[in-house]
Amino acid sequence: MNELADPKLNHLLAALPAEEFARLSPHLEPVTMKLGQVLYESGGALSHMYFPITSIVSLLYVLENGSSAEIAVVGNEGILGISLFMGGETTPSRAVVQSEGIGYRLGSRRLKDEFKEFGPMMFLLLRYTQALITQMAQTAVCNRHHSVDQQLCRWLLLSLDRLSGDDLKMTQELIANMLGVRREGVTEAAGKLRHAGIISYSRGHIRVLDRPKLERNVCECYAVVKKE
Amino acid sequence: MNELADPKLNHLLAALPAEEFARLSPHLEPVTMKLGQVLYESGGALSHMYFPITSIVSLLYVLENGSSAEIAVVGNEGILGISLFMGGETTPSRAVVQSEGIGYRLGSRRLKDEFKEFGPMMFLLLRYTQALITQMAQTAVCNRHHSVDQQLCRWLLLSLDRLSGDDLKMTQELIANMLGVRREGVTEAAGKLRHAGIISYSRGHIRVLDRPKLERNVCECYAVVKKE
DNA sequence: AAATATGTGTGCGATACCGTACAGACAGGT
DNA sequence: ACCTGTCTGTACGGTATCGCACACATATTT
């Protein structure tokens, strides 16, 4: 990668006043995030905080028996590694790259120093954490009360919002992991959407054809999370 | 109430260094929390932060159609109103008193001032928030993957841990609201536990007879949340 | 070209939970 | 003692999701 993306494409970094950004930017390290890459393991130590630019990362919570559920999604609107400044050294969830792309990262030491300046960075991080909590809560109720069909719509839209095009590279198997349902359930729900002419897909490539229709199928949870 | 409880029975206040506690304590206002009382409405403004002593409060997330799910429980180990210092003026969830009791509260203005001292209070609050996030995440996966039976066990144990005795005052209807299931589902699950000699109950009074057995029925989620 | 791996479609029966309906048990007030 | 409201027990069909099994299609490797 010869051309480096502007760190300010991450909304959080963009919201930082010039002075703070200048102080931080020498320490920002560009990283490419590969599909399926695990940034944090659940219970593991955190060495960096990540600022996605074109990538999307899922926060998964994994049970002992291996079944899992997505509790939040982070794209260029947010950051990964909030536990770092919240006081824990470890994170309870696993962070998996859901859509390949680039981003920046910041060493934990540097981040903590910046946080302890009690400046704009701290308030930004806290406000984002608040938004993340909201997203988690909404996801939790959605899990409980809405059908797989609806959840798939929500998931597609949330992913789409964080990407430029109408394409996403993602197998039904992986989506099933995120939603915490069977792969067959996703196949069926996706089949309905395809039949309705809303999406098309094949072997790990999904294309959204009719976004307005997709939005008419989704549950209220999408709007709430989007507002963030 | 002539006799006032010691504010330090709240773990968070207890963890505060003497100096900070002295500064805060004149502003702590004792409150009684009645069963079913709503401390915060979802989307509403927050005037105070609450420190439960003998009460237990549930954080509920309510959908448009009225169905709800509990996303976290707070007793004397924690606080209510984290949105206050996280930067939002409103909270996304509804806070309902689940077990009658007393507590203290602190005006939002005073709290924010204290938070901005960037002292021990801030770090305590942040660490607790981290624990709360963990609890929310665990609850979310539990919702998705575990049976009503297991969730009821978890719920009973979590409530019990925050009380002194083996009794709780709580109808099956309310438990159902918390777990986001039908009342009949709770009746059935509770019936099984009673039949197994683990609990007894009648008209809003539940008594746990055999806690070890209850713990053998619960899912892993309980242990994780308890560790906090 | 053949062999293998990966992703998707489909078709069961099993089951957990839902929605609804109603009956009985108990508490409190008049 | 009665009425009324609240809490609990039970039943029944309906449905979404599960768990499993297997066929098929399309990439990827050999």
Side-chain angles (χ1 to χ4, degrees), chain A residues 155-163 165-168 208 211:
Chain A
W155 193 91
L156 287 172
L157 284 169
L158 285 177
S159 297
L160 223 56
D161 286 342
R162 291 174 167 90
L163 291 170
D166 289 337
D167 271 36
L168 31 144
V208 175
R211 183 169 170 142

Side-chain angles (χ1 to χ4, degrees), chain A residues 94-115:
Chain A
R94 174 186 293 176
V96 185
V97 177
Q98 182 201 107
S99 178
E100 212 159 298
I102 59 169
Y104 285 85
R105 70 178 191 180
L106 184 62
S108 63
R109 185 55 181 276
R110 192 69 203 83
L111 171 83
K112 283 185 197 166
D113 289 349
E114 181 64 30
F115 188 79

Side-chain angles (χ1 to χ4, degrees), chain B residues 38-211:
Chain B
V38 176
L39 300 182
Y40 306 136
E41 195 47 76
S42 118
L46 300 140
S47 60
H48 296 80
M49 164 160 276
Y50 290 83
F51 302 83
I53 302 288
T54 57
S55 47
I56 305 181
V57 182
S58 278
L59 293 180
L60 292 182
Y61 206 108
V62 187
L63 289 177
E64 285 168 0
N65 66 16
S67 55
S68 62
E70 185 180 78
I71 55 172
V73 188
V74 180
N76 71 338
E77 87 293 345
I79 47 164
L80 288 141
I82 56 164
S83 309
L84 267 176
F85 58 83
M86 295 299 285
E89 289 300 311
T90 64
T91 174
S93 53
R94 173 186 294 175
V96 184
V97 177
Q98 181 199 106
S99 178
E100 213 160 298
I102 59 169
Y104 284 85
R105 69 179 190 180
L106 183 62
S108 63
R109 186 55 183 276
R110 191 70 204 82
L111 171 82
K112 283 185 197 166
D113 289 349
E114 181 64 31
F115 189 78
K116 283 181 188 146
E117 294 287 323
F118 306 128
M121 182 68 166
M122 182 183 96
F123 290 105
L124 272 175
L125 290 177
L126 290 183
R127 242 207 351 241
Y128 175 69
T129 304
Q130 164 78 11
L132 196 66
I133 292 178
T134 304
Q135 190 188 152
M136 285 176 54
Q138 190 76 42
T139 309
V141 237
C142 195
N143 270 357
R144 170 54 92 193
H145 292 290
H146 294 144
S147 68
V148 174
D149 291 14
Q150 287 180 306
Q151 290 185 52
L152 176 61
C153 292
R154 171 176 63 79
W155 192 92
L156 287 171
L157 285 169
L158 284 178
S159 298
L160 223 57
D161 286 343
R162 291 173 167 91
L163 291 170
S164 39
D166 289 338
D167 269 36
L168 32 145
K169 203 174 148 193
M170 172 64 47
T171 67
Q172 301 183 352
E173 173 100 45
L174 288 178
I175 297 180
N177 282 161
M178 314 268 186
L179 298 182
V181 298
R182 285 177 323 148
R183 191 223 83 215
E184 292 88 334
V186 175
T187 299
E188 218 169 318
K192 284 184 209 167
L193 291 179
R194 178 165 63 177
H195 190 257
I198 298 175
I199 63 172
S200 73
Y201 60 89
S202 107
R203 296 187 68 75
H205 287 272
I206 306 178
R207 171 178 301 245
V208 176
L209 303 172
D210 190 341
R211 184 170 170 143

Side-chain angles (χ1 to χ4, degrees), chain A residues 42 58-63 66-72 91-95 136 177-178, chain B residues 133-142 145 220-221 224-225:
Chain A
S42 117
S58 278
L59 293 180
L60 291 182
Y61 206 107
V62 187
L63 290 176
S67 55
S68 62
E70 184 179 76
I71 54 172
T91 174
S93 54
R94 174 186 293 176
M136 284 176 54
N177 283 160
M178 313 270 186
Chain B
I133 292 178
T134 304
Q135 190 188 152
M136 285 176 54
Q138 190 76 42
T139 309
V141 237
C142 195
H145 292 290
E220 63 191 276
C221 306
V224 176
V225 172

Side-chain angles (χ1 to χ4, degrees), chain A residues 49-61:
Chain A
M49 162 159 276
Y50 290 82
F51 301 83
I53 302 287
T54 58
S55 47
I56 305 180
V57 182
S58 278
L59 293 180
L60 291 182
Y61 206 107

